[in-house]
Amino acid sequence: MQVSQGSARTETQSVTKPERMTGAEAIVRSLEKIGITEVFGMPGGAILPTFDPLMDSSIRHILIRHEQGAGHGAEGYAISSGKVGCAIVTSGPAALNTMTALADANLDSVPIVIITGQVAASLIGTDAFQEADIVGASMPVTKHSFLVTQAAEIPSRIAEAFEIAGTGRPGAVLVDITKSAQSEELDFEWPPPLDIPGYRVPQKPSKKQVAAAARAIAEAQAPVLYVGGGAVRGNASRELAKLVELSDAPVVTTLTARGAFPDSDPHNLGMPGMHGTVAAVGALQRADLVVALGARFDDRVTGRLDTFAPRAKVVHVDIDAAEISKNRYADIPIVGDLNQVLEMLNAALEKEFPSETRADLGGWWRYLNRLRDSYPLGWTNTDDGRLAPQYVLKRLSDLSGPEAFYATGVGQHQMWASQFISFDHPRHFISSSGLGTMGFGVPAAMGAQVANPDAVVWCIDGDGSFQMTNQELATCVINDIPIKVALINNSVLGMVRQWQNLFYNERYSNTKLNDHDAEQVPNFVKLAEAYGIPGRVVEKEEEVDEAIEWALSINDRPVFIDFRVSKDAMVWPMVAAGVSNDDIRYARGLAPTWDGEE
Amino acid sequence: MSEQLHTLSVLVENKPGVLTRVAGLFARRDFNIKSLTVGETERPDVSRMTIIVDAKNNAPLEQVTKQLNKLINVLKVVEMPQEDCVERRLLLLKVTANDETRTAVLQIVELFRAHVVHVGTDFVVIESVGTLAKLEALLASLGPYGVREVAQSGAVAIGRGSKSLTDQIKEK
């Protein structure tokens, strides 16, 4: 088990003497004791008592402009740092505004804790001003949620929230605290008792199953390591690299796993699934063994489930037992912490199956390399003379390098970012995968920059996605959070338009955000300037490098580039929704030829 | 498709909102609940739910129990084997029973080892405890006399062995 900063149980500090204080002070004190150094939030009536002691706290509070931004900020912070992200907002509308972030974090196993104010306990159920049953509303979209009505409960509930969010399969936790509980007094002691008898984190993985997995890997003629976000959340990159070295197996990294294994390593075939590489999709479809590591067989990866990896035996390692055999039957299930399982698996491979006794992967690699050489990621020049978005992202990656962090919104730009940015490190790609939340980019980049103040943090956004949360640029400017925004501006809701192009006979119902050729509404550079951010428009290929270098040269405030890209650019390859991965299209009407392996 | 019913005993923390979480889990994941009953156990901090779930038309039972186990307030989930547990439901029904039919109704009550718990001028209220099959048979037998109102509980179940389920949650 890795020790997260959010775990009260693993705190080594000495026990404090009881100290009389208000519930509000106890909230702030608990967060300090847990080790929280930054929170995102906005005050309001029901959380006002807590914002008062927060002013004297060592915790840096970043005042956001919309509570959704607080939630995604906490997510960007958590994904990029591995710590638990935290946000504090008020009741009713504010709490509801965080629901999207809670659901987003929960689907992508991102550890965040959101603290919401609630009306006084005596007013609950009276339809009081700014009252909403936020614990009830959050139940389906969180790992857990608490309603706190008494001051004395506060330290325990907050400690439990961080314990639950940060351990096991990470997730989103909400703590809703009544205004009366914040105002009452309690005797504060730390660490507080934890009362979560029903919460269990998987212990030792089964040795027998690990041995079976090692045997399966040693015997496989055509294995694939299908690596999911669990490899990032579980800090398993080093052991994963060792497994690749030992097994010589090809690796595919899902959207949440980009960077868990370096793109620069020839074993990495790229991303599988709907917009994955032909080699990654082909490898899974032809594999005789799929080793799923912290991956959940999401429909965007598998395509039509009953035709996914039809020949393959499945080894499935996951910390969440409920993921195993949920979508695809696991022949060898292993429940446990991925890092620990990989350590055991590597030891078993080394000891029991020295490399000379293993199956020869020569033929498999020749087949995969042919796929990779025949169907590389690429693009064609645009017809309208506008930029190819893929080119922009390729240059952005080349010039910024693998040490930079990249947060995205949701849409075509997100897929191009995953495809054309080279990732060498885990936690450097910050994207809304499971929920597909447009508007994730700006606040997530903000959170990543707060957690990594000296790093280059790019927000790659679409013009549709950007307009959902761009008000957090004000937060970035005022709080010295110098994110760099690369707007991939095609004037349309690009991914939806792509589906209209392919599946709705080019009837573009309500996907045009702007007249592509007239003056842009809004004028994004003027908008950036209104926020006090330098911005420029880039329309020609020869301007791309210079603009990126210009952005990289500015580090004391946010910077903005409006890349005008073709509205007709499409994301390829593509597997249509609900279709077999065998029917992947490399470009419009162009299917790869699979032919047999050697 | 025919039903494939499983009886689950679920020990949960006796706290507000726990029933909502369990019921919500079933609704959200499209698991079909046939019956759900809740009551306190011998330990006041623990409640016991008996849930009968149809695991044929939607998710396999394993997925149901795994998802239940993920709920923070759930302490223990056990499938009750049909042959090794006692399962009972309570049925209350109001049956027309006038001077002409009362004797016949009472005979049926006697045959099923049910009880009359209230008598009116032209009706009786009957309680019966038993398996679903027994209660259905009782209802069918009384049908011709005029069943006016029926109130039924869900099932409760307990294992036949000497061990207590609540003891097992201490072992964790």
Side-chain angles (χ1 to χ4, degrees), chain B residues 36-67:
Chain B
L36 189 158
T37 48
V38 199
E40 271 186 25
T41 64
E42 70 278 11
R43 273 177 57 175
D45 59 328
V46 176
S47 291
R48 180 169 177 141
M49 297 186 179
T50 305
I51 305 172
I52 298 180
V53 54
D54 179 3
K56 181 82 178 175
N57 294 324
N58 29 53
L61 185 73
E62 184 183 308
Q63 184 57 210
V64 178
T65 57
K66 281 173 168 176
Q67 292 294 346

Side-chain angles (χ1 to χ4, degrees), chain A residues 145 197 200 320-322 324, chain B residues 21 63 66 70 72-74 172:
Chain A
S145 47
R200 278 143 298 177
D320 180 358
I324 289 176
Chain B
R21 287 181 193 277
Q63 184 57 210
K66 281 173 168 176
K70 273 174 77 172
I72 307 288
N73 301 117
V74 169
K172 300 186 316 267

Side-chain angles (χ1 to χ4, degrees), chain A residues 7 13 81 130 140 225 232 268 298 328 443 452 492 519 539 558 567 571:
Chain A
S7 173
Q13 61 205 315
S81 70
Q130 292 195 330
L225 307 181
V232 177
N268 197 337
D298 179 76
R328 168 73 182 248
N452 303 275
V492 292
E519 193 177 340
E539 292 182 298
K567 66 180 189 304
V571 184

Side-chain angles (χ1 to χ4, degrees), chain A residues 208-232:
Chain A
K208 202 179 120 206
Q209 295 295 74
V210 171
R215 171 172 298 279
I217 291 169
E219 288 172 354
Q221 315 260 329
V224 182
L225 307 181
Y226 157 36
V227 176
V232 177

Side-chain angles (χ1 to χ4, degrees), chain A residues 381-399:
Chain A
N381 289 331
T382 61
D383 296 334
D384 54 6
R386 290 183 189 265
L387 290 167
Q390 299 93 334
Y391 175 78
V392 173
L393 288 159
K394 180 81 175 51
R395 294 309 300 158
L396 194 75
S397 174
D398 289 348
L399 295 170

